[in-house]
Structures are given as C-alpha cells and as structure tokens.
C-alpha cells in the first residue's frame, strides 16, 4: 500500500466550477500535512498547510481527518490558471516529505 | 531575495557514468533535502541534511550520496548511472530541522537524462 494515495485524474472542469480532491495516508504517525501545486515541468510550490480545524485561503479550503487518515482540498470558482497537478504531502520525521502521485486538474473555458 | 538555486538545469549522461548535482539554499536556511521525481510520479525523498550532517535517508541504493558544505549548499552524487535514474532531481531548503512551522521551498530542479 502506498503511503499517500491520490486519484491521478485528470479532473476536467469548466471555469467557475467547484472541484474537490481527496487523499489518504497510511501512517498514523504522520505529523504535518500539505497541498503543493506543480505546474508542468516546474518545481512543486506550497499551496497550503492542512490543519485538523480546517483552513481556508481565498477560493481554497483544506480539511484533515486524522481518525480516517484523510485529507481534502476544495477549489471554488475554478480559474483557467488553476490548471496544474495538486500533490498531497505528508511530513514524516524531521524533513521527510512523502508525496502522493498528484491529481491533475484541467480547467477549460 | 534569491530562492533555491540548482545547477545544472539539464544534464545528459550515459549508463555507468557519474553525476554531481548542486544546490544553494535560501539565505539563512540550514536544512537541505533532495528528492527524485520520475515522470508521472510524485517526488521521492532521497536525503536530508542539517548543519552538514545527514539527518534522513530514503530508500535509495548506495550509489546515491550527498553532502552539505559549511555555507549550507549541497551536492548530490550518483554513481554508476542506470537508465532508471533519469528524472527531475529537486532540492528543497527550510530554515531548521523540522519544526511544525518549517516550510520546504523547492528549487527548479535538475533534469537528468541517462542514455
């Protein structure tokens, strides 16, 4: 079983749509949780950290359910510029980040 | 302020050769981590260095080695290259040793092709 599992997609949505990505992780000792965004042939960039209380940053909302070992990302009012791969990331130990394979999002006009 | 820098940006090698990749962290950051990303997959953790000492190692063979210098820059070495080593090699820096507030910032990567 993979340590972090995501649906690879692609998710094809029209502009203005709401889309949700889910992710599960296998190690209950995982310490911190993140969503990173990666554009084609570019480096990953931190989108947001994920907290048990849930957190929101503009059109983006992230949720963590430690009991179910489940992380989610909700994007409202999708923009063309949101097209990218979204990586679910779990921190293990000091600085070891464990990445999912990523979920590809395509937003069309 | 400059972000994480990596060199070279692209590299082509043949099987059996050796390669050295370089990374300069963000000024003031003391921790450097290396990741390998093959096409279609998420990055895989290779090493973490903090204050010039190895603090973490992923599931990679001994052909992979790294070091960190007094100025906190780092090198990743790969010996006896295999076709499967073709990937994007990412370096990430962070301020410290892994406090919950630490964020890892990635460099643009070195794209290695092994023929």
């Amino acid at each position: 079983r993979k340590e972090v599992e995501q649906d690879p997609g692609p998710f094809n949505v029209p502009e203005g749509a709401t889309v949700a990505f889910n992710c599960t992780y296998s190690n209950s000792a995982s310490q911190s949780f993140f969503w990173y965004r990666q554009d084609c042939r570019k480096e990953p960039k931190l989108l947001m950290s994920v907290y048990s209380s849930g957190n929101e940053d503009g059109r983006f909302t992230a949720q963590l359910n430690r009991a179910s070992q489940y992380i989610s990302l909700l994007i409202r009012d999708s923009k063309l510029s949101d097209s990218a791969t979204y990586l679910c990331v779990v921190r293990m130990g000091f600085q070891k980040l464990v990445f999912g394979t990523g979920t590809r999002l395509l937003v069309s006009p | 302020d400059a972000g994480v820098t990596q060199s070279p940006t692209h590299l082509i090698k043949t099987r059996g050769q050796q390669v050295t990749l370089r990374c300069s962290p963000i000024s003031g950051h003391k921790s450097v981590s290396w990741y390998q990303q093959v096409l279609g997959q998420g990055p895989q953790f290779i090493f973490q260095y903090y204050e010039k000492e190895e603090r973490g190692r992923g599931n990679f063979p001994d052909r992979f080695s790294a070091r960190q210098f007094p100025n906190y820059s780092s090198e990743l070495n790969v010996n006896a290259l295999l076709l499967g080593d073709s990937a994007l090699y990412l370096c990430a820096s962070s301020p410290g040793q892994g406090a919950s507030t630490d964020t890892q910032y990635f460099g643009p990567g070195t794209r290695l092709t092994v023929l």
Side-chain angles (χ1 to χ4, degrees), chain B residues 14-36:
Chain B
T14 57
R15 281 178 295 177
Q17 285 189 310
Q18 175 265 341
V19 68
T20 298
L21 311 181
R22 295 176 177 83
C23 170
S24 292
I26 293 170
S27 177
H29 284 194
K30 298 182 178 180
S31 177
V32 170
S33 299
W34 288 95
Y35 294 82
Q36 180 197 65

PDB file of all heavy atoms in Angstrom, chain B residues 14-36:
ATOM      1  N   THR B  14      25.514   9.020 -19.915  1.00  0.00           N
ATOM      2  CA  THR B  14      25.331   7.647 -20.389  1.00  0.00           C
ATOM      3  C   THR B  14      25.432   6.674 -19.220  1.00  0.00           C
ATOM      4  O   THR B  14      25.991   7.014 -18.160  1.00  0.00           O
ATOM      5  CB  THR B  14      26.360   7.284 -21.469  1.00  0.00           C
ATOM      6  OG1 THR B  14      27.673   7.479 -20.931  1.00  0.00           O
ATOM      7  CG2 THR B  14      26.175   8.149 -22.698  1.00  0.00           C
ATOM      8  N   ARG B  15      24.887   5.505 -19.411  1.00  0.00           N
ATOM      9  CA  ARG B  15      24.907   4.496 -18.363  1.00  0.00           C
ATOM     10  C   ARG B  15      26.326   4.255 -17.857  1.00  0.00           C
ATOM     11  O   ARG B  15      27.271   4.222 -18.633  1.00  0.00           O
ATOM     12  CB  ARG B  15      24.339   3.183 -18.903  1.00  0.00           C
ATOM     13  CG  ARG B  15      22.837   3.150 -18.970  1.00  0.00           C
ATOM     14  CD  ARG B  15      22.355   1.844 -19.561  1.00  0.00           C
ATOM     15  NE  ARG B  15      22.766   1.705 -20.955  1.00  0.00           N
ATOM     16  CZ  ARG B  15      22.538   0.632 -21.697  1.00  0.00           C
ATOM     17  NH1 ARG B  15      21.930  -0.432 -21.155  1.00  0.00           N
ATOM     18  NH2 ARG B  15      22.917   0.584 -22.944  1.00  0.00           N
ATOM     19  N   GLY B  16      26.462   4.103 -16.541  1.00  0.00           N
ATOM     20  CA  GLY B  16      27.756   3.833 -15.948  1.00  0.00           C
ATOM     21  C   GLY B  16      28.518   5.075 -15.513  1.00  0.00           C
ATOM     22  O   GLY B  16      29.445   4.971 -14.708  1.00  0.00           O
ATOM     23  N   GLN B  17      28.120   6.223 -16.043  1.00  0.00           N
ATOM     24  CA  GLN B  17      28.811   7.457 -15.658  1.00  0.00           C
ATOM     25  C   GLN B  17      28.382   7.915 -14.268  1.00  0.00           C
ATOM     26  O   GLN B  17      27.477   7.353 -13.639  1.00  0.00           O
ATOM     27  CB  GLN B  17      28.518   8.560 -16.683  1.00  0.00           C
ATOM     28  CG  GLN B  17      29.268   8.391 -17.990  1.00  0.00           C
ATOM     29  CD  GLN B  17      29.123   9.610 -18.885  1.00  0.00           C
ATOM     30  OE1 GLN B  17      28.006  10.089 -19.132  1.00  0.00           O
ATOM     31  NE2 GLN B  17      30.248  10.115 -19.380  1.00  0.00           N
ATOM     32  N   GLN B  18      29.065   8.951 -13.812  1.00  0.00           N
ATOM     33  CA  GLN B  18      28.778   9.539 -12.510  1.00  0.00           C
ATOM     34  C   GLN B  18      28.318  10.979 -12.725  1.00  0.00           C
ATOM     35  O   GLN B  18      28.698  11.625 -13.701  1.00  0.00           O
ATOM     36  CB  GLN B  18      30.052   9.500 -11.658  1.00  0.00           C
ATOM     37  CG  GLN B  18      29.942  10.189 -10.310  1.00  0.00           C
ATOM     38  CD  GLN B  18      30.437  11.628 -10.341  1.00  0.00           C
ATOM     39  OE1 GLN B  18      31.181  12.023 -11.241  1.00  0.00           O
ATOM     40  NE2 GLN B  18      30.013  12.425  -9.388  1.00  0.00           N
ATOM     41  N   VAL B  19      27.472  11.474 -11.811  1.00  0.00           N
ATOM     42  CA  VAL B  19      26.973  12.831 -11.954  1.00  0.00           C
ATOM     43  C   VAL B  19      26.953  13.523 -10.590  1.00  0.00           C
ATOM     44  O   VAL B  19      26.763  12.876  -9.549  1.00  0.00           O
ATOM     45  CB  VAL B  19      25.559  12.818 -12.579  1.00  0.00           C
ATOM     46  CG1 VAL B  19      24.533  12.209 -11.622  1.00  0.00           C
ATOM     47  CG2 VAL B  19      25.128  14.218 -12.991  1.00  0.00           C
ATOM     48  N   THR B  20      27.190  14.828 -10.606  1.00  0.00           N
ATOM     49  CA  THR B  20      27.109  15.653  -9.394  1.00  0.00           C
ATOM     50  C   THR B  20      26.146  16.798  -9.639  1.00  0.00           C
ATOM     51  O   THR B  20      26.299  17.544 -10.608  1.00  0.00           O
ATOM     52  CB  THR B  20      28.477  16.214  -9.005  1.00  0.00           C
ATOM     53  OG1 THR B  20      29.367  15.131  -8.706  1.00  0.00           O
ATOM     54  CG2 THR B  20      28.357  17.102  -7.763  1.00  0.00           C
ATOM     55  N   LEU B  21      25.154  16.911  -8.781  1.00  0.00           N
ATOM     56  CA  LEU B  21      24.169  17.979  -8.874  1.00  0.00           C
ATOM     57  C   LEU B  21      24.371  18.913  -7.688  1.00  0.00           C
ATOM     58  O   LEU B  21      24.706  18.464  -6.581  1.00  0.00           O
ATOM     59  CB  LEU B  21      22.749  17.390  -8.839  1.00  0.00           C
ATOM     60  CG  LEU B  21      22.482  16.219  -9.797  1.00  0.00           C
ATOM     61  CD1 LEU B  21      21.033  15.758  -9.657  1.00  0.00           C
ATOM     62  CD2 LEU B  21      22.803  16.593 -11.220  1.00  0.00           C
ATOM     63  N   ARG B  22      24.127  20.199  -7.915  1.00  0.00           N
ATOM     64  CA  ARG B  22      24.410  21.190  -6.895  1.00  0.00           C
ATOM     65  C   ARG B  22      23.170  21.996  -6.516  1.00  0.00           C
ATOM     66  O   ARG B  22      22.293  22.229  -7.357  1.00  0.00           O
ATOM     67  CB  ARG B  22      25.530  22.120  -7.364  1.00  0.00           C
ATOM     68  CG  ARG B  22      26.839  21.383  -7.543  1.00  0.00           C
ATOM     69  CD  ARG B  22      27.942  22.257  -8.102  1.00  0.00           C
ATOM     70  NE  ARG B  22      29.194  21.502  -8.181  1.00  0.00           N
ATOM     71  CZ  ARG B  22      29.532  20.693  -9.170  1.00  0.00           C
ATOM     72  NH1 ARG B  22      28.708  20.507 -10.186  1.00  0.00           N
ATOM     73  NH2 ARG B  22      30.682  20.049  -9.143  1.00  0.00           N
ATOM     74  N   CYS B  23      23.168  22.436  -5.256  1.00  0.00           N
ATOM     75  CA  CYS B  23      22.016  23.169  -4.724  1.00  0.00           C
ATOM     76  C   CYS B  23      22.495  24.236  -3.753  1.00  0.00           C
ATOM     77  O   CYS B  23      23.353  23.967  -2.895  1.00  0.00           O
ATOM     78  CB  CYS B  23      21.093  22.195  -3.999  1.00  0.00           C
ATOM     79  SG  CYS B  23      19.762  22.963  -3.052  1.00  0.00           S
ATOM     80  N   SER B  24      21.939  25.434  -3.894  1.00  0.00           N
ATOM     81  CA  SER B  24      22.194  26.504  -2.926  1.00  0.00           C
ATOM     82  C   SER B  24      20.871  26.865  -2.276  1.00  0.00           C
ATOM     83  O   SER B  24      19.924  27.253  -2.975  1.00  0.00           O
ATOM     84  CB  SER B  24      22.797  27.732  -3.609  1.00  0.00           C
ATOM     85  OG  SER B  24      24.099  27.452  -4.063  1.00  0.00           O
ATOM     86  N   PRO B  25      20.789  26.751  -0.955  1.00  0.00           N
ATOM     87  CA  PRO B  25      19.514  27.021  -0.288  1.00  0.00           C
ATOM     88  C   PRO B  25      19.249  28.521  -0.186  1.00  0.00           C
ATOM     89  O   PRO B  25      20.124  29.344  -0.475  1.00  0.00           O
ATOM     90  CB  PRO B  25      19.725  26.407   1.098  1.00  0.00           C
ATOM     91  CG  PRO B  25      21.192  26.528   1.333  1.00  0.00           C
ATOM     92  CD  PRO B  25      21.829  26.327  -0.013  1.00  0.00           C
ATOM     93  N   ILE B  26      18.052  28.825   0.229  1.00  0.00           N
ATOM     94  CA  ILE B  26      17.699  30.207   0.512  1.00  0.00           C
ATOM     95  C   ILE B  26      18.599  30.714   1.638  1.00  0.00           C
ATOM     96  O   ILE B  26      18.899  29.974   2.582  1.00  0.00           O
ATOM     97  CB  ILE B  26      16.210  30.294   0.904  1.00  0.00           C
ATOM     98  CG1 ILE B  26      15.331  29.950  -0.300  1.00  0.00           C
ATOM     99  CG2 ILE B  26      15.858  31.662   1.466  1.00  0.00           C
ATOM    100  CD1 ILE B  26      13.872  29.777   0.032  1.00  0.00           C
ATOM    101  N   SER B  27      19.023  31.970   1.523  1.00  0.00           N
ATOM    102  CA  SER B  27      19.904  32.545   2.531  1.00  0.00           C
ATOM    103  C   SER B  27      19.273  32.415   3.916  1.00  0.00           C
ATOM    104  O   SER B  27      18.106  32.772   4.125  1.00  0.00           O
ATOM    105  CB  SER B  27      20.149  34.019   2.208  1.00  0.00           C
ATOM    106  OG  SER B  27      20.947  34.617   3.199  1.00  0.00           O
ATOM    107  N   GLY B  28      20.071  31.891   4.865  1.00  0.00           N
ATOM    108  CA  GLY B  28      19.577  31.711   6.227  1.00  0.00           C
ATOM    109  C   GLY B  28      18.999  30.336   6.502  1.00  0.00           C
ATOM    110  O   GLY B  28      18.778  29.979   7.660  1.00  0.00           O
ATOM    111  N   HIS B  29      18.740  29.575   5.461  1.00  0.00           N
ATOM    112  CA  HIS B  29      18.222  28.212   5.638  1.00  0.00           C
ATOM    113  C   HIS B  29      19.383  27.247   5.878  1.00  0.00           C
ATOM    114  O   HIS B  29      20.396  27.290   5.173  1.00  0.00           O
ATOM    115  CB  HIS B  29      17.430  27.772   4.409  1.00  0.00           C
ATOM    116  CG  HIS B  29      16.075  28.389   4.326  1.00  0.00           C
ATOM    117  ND1 HIS B  29      15.089  27.922   3.453  1.00  0.00           N
ATOM    118  CD2 HIS B  29      15.521  29.424   4.990  1.00  0.00           C
ATOM    119  CE1 HIS B  29      14.002  28.651   3.607  1.00  0.00           C
ATOM    120  NE2 HIS B  29      14.238  29.573   4.519  1.00  0.00           N
ATOM    121  N   LYS B  30      19.198  26.367   6.858  1.00  0.00           N
ATOM    122  CA  LYS B  30      20.270  25.446   7.221  1.00  0.00           C
ATOM    123  C   LYS B  30      19.991  24.008   6.810  1.00  0.00           C
ATOM    124  O   LYS B  30      20.853  23.150   6.932  1.00  0.00           O
ATOM    125  CB  LYS B  30      20.499  25.498   8.732  1.00  0.00           C
ATOM    126  CG  LYS B  30      20.948  26.858   9.240  1.00  0.00           C
ATOM    127  CD  LYS B  30      21.198  26.835  10.735  1.00  0.00           C
ATOM    128  CE  LYS B  30      21.689  28.194  11.224  1.00  0.00           C
ATOM    129  NZ  LYS B  30      21.938  28.188  12.690  1.00  0.00           N
ATOM    130  N   SER B  31      18.786  23.722   6.376  1.00  0.00           N
ATOM    131  CA  SER B  31      18.408  22.352   6.032  1.00  0.00           C
ATOM    132  C   SER B  31      18.194  22.231   4.536  1.00  0.00           C
ATOM    133  O   SER B  31      17.525  23.076   3.915  1.00  0.00           O
ATOM    134  CB  SER B  31      17.130  21.966   6.781  1.00  0.00           C
ATOM    135  OG  SER B  31      16.710  20.668   6.405  1.00  0.00           O
ATOM    136  N   VAL B  32      18.757  21.185   3.958  1.00  0.00           N
ATOM    137  CA  VAL B  32      18.587  20.890   2.534  1.00  0.00           C
ATOM    138  C   VAL B  32      18.124  19.446   2.389  1.00  0.00           C
ATOM    139  O   VAL B  32      18.678  18.547   3.027  1.00  0.00           O
ATOM    140  CB  VAL B  32      19.913  21.094   1.761  1.00  0.00           C
ATOM    141  CG1 VAL B  32      19.793  20.544   0.347  1.00  0.00           C
ATOM    142  CG2 VAL B  32      20.282  22.566   1.724  1.00  0.00           C
ATOM    143  N   SER B  33      17.116  19.250   1.553  1.00  0.00           N
ATOM    144  CA  SER B  33      16.631  17.903   1.256  1.00  0.00           C
ATOM    145  C   SER B  33      16.671  17.677  -0.244  1.00  0.00           C
ATOM    146  O   SER B  33      16.508  18.627  -1.025  1.00  0.00           O
ATOM    147  CB  SER B  33      15.194  17.718   1.769  1.00  0.00           C
ATOM    148  OG  SER B  33      15.133  17.891   3.172  1.00  0.00           O
ATOM    149  N   TRP B  34      16.883  16.440  -0.634  1.00  0.00           N
ATOM    150  CA  TRP B  34      16.909  16.055  -2.048  1.00  0.00           C
ATOM    151  C   TRP B  34      15.769  15.081  -2.338  1.00  0.00           C
ATOM    152  O   TRP B  34      15.480  14.183  -1.531  1.00  0.00           O
ATOM    153  CB  TRP B  34      18.243  15.386  -2.398  1.00  0.00           C
ATOM    154  CG  TRP B  34      19.403  16.314  -2.454  1.00  0.00           C
ATOM    155  CD1 TRP B  34      20.296  16.590  -1.460  1.00  0.00           C
ATOM    156  CD2 TRP B  34      19.819  17.091  -3.587  1.00  0.00           C
ATOM    157  NE1 TRP B  34      21.233  17.493  -1.905  1.00  0.00           N
ATOM    158  CE2 TRP B  34      20.970  17.809  -3.204  1.00  0.00           C
ATOM    159  CE3 TRP B  34      19.337  17.241  -4.896  1.00  0.00           C
ATOM    160  CZ2 TRP B  34      21.634  18.671  -4.080  1.00  0.00           C
ATOM    161  CZ3 TRP B  34      19.998  18.089  -5.756  1.00  0.00           C
ATOM    162  CH2 TRP B  34      21.134  18.799  -5.350  1.00  0.00           C
ATOM    163  N   TYR B  35      15.160  15.266  -3.515  1.00  0.00           N
ATOM    164  CA  TYR B  35      14.068  14.411  -3.960  1.00  0.00           C
ATOM    165  C   TYR B  35      14.293  14.033  -5.420  1.00  0.00           C
ATOM    166  O   TYR B  35      14.854  14.804  -6.196  1.00  0.00           O
ATOM    167  CB  TYR B  35      12.723  15.140  -3.849  1.00  0.00           C
ATOM    168  CG  TYR B  35      12.301  15.448  -2.433  1.00  0.00           C
ATOM    169  CD1 TYR B  35      12.798  16.555  -1.766  1.00  0.00           C
ATOM    170  CD2 TYR B  35      11.407  14.617  -1.763  1.00  0.00           C
ATOM    171  CE1 TYR B  35      12.432  16.828  -0.457  1.00  0.00           C
ATOM    172  CE2 TYR B  35      11.019  14.889  -0.453  1.00  0.00           C
ATOM    173  CZ  TYR B  35      11.542  15.994   0.182  1.00  0.00           C
ATOM    174  OH  TYR B  35      11.169  16.259   1.482  1.00  0.00           O
ATOM    175  N   GLN B  36      13.813  12.846  -5.775  1.00  0.00           N
ATOM    176  CA  GLN B  36      13.822  12.392  -7.161  1.00  0.00           C
ATOM    177  C   GLN B  36      12.384  12.295  -7.652  1.00  0.00           C
ATOM    178  O   GLN B  36      11.534  11.703  -6.976  1.00  0.00           O
ATOM    179  CB  GLN B  36      14.471  11.006  -7.260  1.00  0.00           C
ATOM    180  CG  GLN B  36      14.515  10.453  -8.681  1.00  0.00           C
ATOM    181  CD  GLN B  36      14.769   8.946  -8.705  1.00  0.00           C
ATOM    182  OE1 GLN B  36      13.957   8.159  -8.243  1.00  0.00           O
ATOM    183  NE2 GLN B  36      15.906   8.548  -9.274  1.00  0.00           N
TER     184      GLN B  36
END
